Amino acid sequence: KLDPLYRRPDAPLRGTVLHAVLEDFIKDLDVQQGLEVARENLLGTTDKVLLDHAPWPAARALWRAKIERVTDKFLKDEFKRQTIAQPLVLEIWGEMNFADLNFTLNGKADRIDRTDLGRLIIYDYKTGSPPSKNQLKYFDKQLLLEAMMAEAGSFDSVPRAIVSEVAHISLGSTPKY
């Protein structure tokens, strides 16, 4: 099946756009400038990324409104996150080979932060609901696999280190952290 000639403003594209917004915003964030400046920068970044990636005015307006709804909670929590650790890499691919199994594990981490003690924290952005406790227990092992890869040095520019935490950052209309 071929990709459609005309892309629609669907949920996967919204997730891709939101990841691009956060990548651009986080790499330039200076928490010393305060919440109000950060809010203006986040919404400005949102507008720029939406113009670049979403050619539908109605979708841009809807997606911006969704981001604006979670902005204050996201920023408050982001400032707390950055007192614990600093972003090290964003949207990074890694690869881990298991020669005995003739298997290669590939994965993309949304964000890896490093604490002052050199430990790593891995975050995964969720535009919808984060996995439930049962989903995490039985099925959703993405962050644990990323942690294993990070501890093995499978992400370029991320030194081998202990992963002290993995977490989802929910960016849905009712964020859950």
Side-chain angles (χ1 to χ4, degrees), residues 17-158:
V17 167
L18 182 62
H19 278 75
V21 166
L22 293 176
E23 180 179 10
D24 288 354
F25 171 72
I26 293 295
K27 70 181 177 189
D28 294 331
L29 177 61
D30 178 359
V31 295
Q32 301 301 320
Q33 292 180 329
L35 281 169
E36 191 55 41
V37 171
R39 186 176 206 290
E40 290 172 21
N41 290 342
L42 177 56
L43 294 176
T45 300
T46 298
D47 292 337
K48 181 187 178 312
V49 171
L50 285 172
L51 278 173
D52 291 344
H53 297 285
W56 313 275
R60 281 197 307 268
L62 180 63
W63 294 354
R64 187 189 198 279
K66 286 179 183 261
I67 291 171
E68 196 168 8
R69 263 196 305 270
V70 300
T71 292
D72 292 334
K73 173 92 172 107
F74 170 78
L75 288 174
K76 180 179 165 210
D77 291 342
E78 181 59 31
F79 275 51
K80 285 181 190 174
R81 279 189 287 276
Q82 290 207 18
T83 65
I84 298 166
Q86 293 301 303
L88 179 63
V89 292
L90 304 164
E91 302 293 333
I92 186 169
W93 281 97
E95 183 176 286
M96 186 174 188
N97 293 309
F98 297 87
D100 296 350
L101 302 173
N102 193 29
F103 178 77
T104 301
L105 176 64
N106 295 298
K108 185 177 187 183
D110 291 346
R111 174 175 166 181
I112 302 176
D113 289 11
R114 183 171 38 205
T115 69
D116 290 341
L117 298 174
R119 297 191 178 216
L120 303 175
I121 301 174
I122 300 177
Y123 293 110
D124 184 47
Y125 298 121
K126 290 294 182 196
T127 56
S129 298
S132 68
K133 276 189 173 184
N134 280 337
Q135 287 171 323
L136 289 170
K137 183 176 180 180
Y138 297 110
F139 303 108
D140 192 319
K141 303 299 181 190
Q142 174 188 343
L143 286 173
L144 296 177
L145 290 170
E146 289 176 13
M148 177 184 69
M149 292 172 67
E151 288 190 351
S154 299
F155 294 101
D156 287 342
S157 71
V158 177

